[in-house]
Amino acid sequence: MEAPAMEAPALEASAMEAPAMETPAMEAPALEASAMEALEKKEVAVWLKKIFGDHPIPQYEVNPRTTEILYQLSERNRVRDRDVHLVVEDLKQKASEYESEAKHLQDLLMESVNFSPANLSSTGSKYLNALVDSALALETKDTSLASFLPAVNDLTSDLFRTKCKNEEIKLELAKLEENLTASLVLEKCLQEDLKKAELHLSTERAKADHRLQNMDFLKAKSEEFRLGIRAAEEKLSARGMDASLSHQSLVALSEKLAELKQQTVPLKKKLESYLDLMPNPSLALVKIEEAKRELDTLEAELTKKVDMMEL
């Protein structure tokens, strides 16, 4: 019965030791990442020292992101330097081969015809240099006539194509110049129209301002006249003016008089037909007396009203 009780602490101890054994396995990737980062920093520092040489390295923020970017740049720079070095070595090898070939041809020329470029005259040297320069300019593989003729033909074709292209460009340039001239003329016309419009606008604005000032003046005068008319009406009312002498009454009487005149027109035409008849003297005298009395009455009434208005 005591054996199981003694085995329990042993199991607990083994359970406690298990995490302790797993911890180093979990920390291994972190250590590798830290070591890799330290190695990248070291390589970046070496690369920057190589790039700047004796000049001081500019300050920059050191963090995993910048370190990674600089490390990638250093790797690309190393690859490019390696490629450039290979190209340089290849060119050096080709140059060496060309020198060897040239020496071989020169020796062969000396052995066959006992000829050397050093034995040429100044004119011959000039011709030889011109021939070499032409071969280099035309990019021929040698100075033979079979190499020069196709190169010259190609050059002539390029010249013809260039001339054709120049003609096309000249035509396009002429069209552009015509369009530019038309655009300039149109722009000038638009500028003149704009100046005319601005002048007209300024004139109309001045007229509008003047009319506005006149309107304000007329409004002030209208208000002044309205107040004056009201004061005069109140003054006339206080003096007992007859309402029939007011402006509205006079206007109404004038309209009525005009209407009566219109009505008398046909009567006058009708009366003209009776003018040739013999008048009755007694009846005419009566009508004349009635007219005189009516005229005197109207004159007296008018005089009375005029006197009242003067008061």
Side-chain angles (χ1 to χ4, degrees), residues 53-64:
D54 296 334
H55 297 284
I57 299 174
Q59 298 292 330
Y60 65 94
E61 183 180 356
V62 180
N63 55 44

Side-chain angles (χ1 to χ4, degrees), residues 21-89:
M21 294 175 65
E22 292 178 357
T23 302
M26 295 175 63
E27 293 178 352
L31 293 175
E32 291 179 359
S34 178
M36 183 63 69
E37 184 178 354
L39 180 60
E40 290 179 356
K41 287 182 179 179
K42 183 178 179 181
E43 292 182 358
V44 167
V46 173
W47 175 67
L48 291 176
K49 181 65 177 176
K50 179 182 178 182
I51 292 296
F52 289 97
D54 296 334
H55 297 284
I57 299 174
Q59 298 292 330
Y60 65 94
E61 183 180 356
V62 180
N63 55 44
R65 177 61 178 166
T66 57
T67 302
E68 182 181 0
I69 293 173
L70 291 175
Y71 179 74
Q72 292 177 359
L73 289 175
S74 65
E75 289 296 323
R76 292 180 181 179
N77 193 13
R78 290 191 188 94
V79 173
R80 187 190 64 180
D81 291 343
R82 185 176 65 252
D83 294 340
V84 170
H85 179 71
L86 293 175
V87 172
V88 170
E89 291 297 329

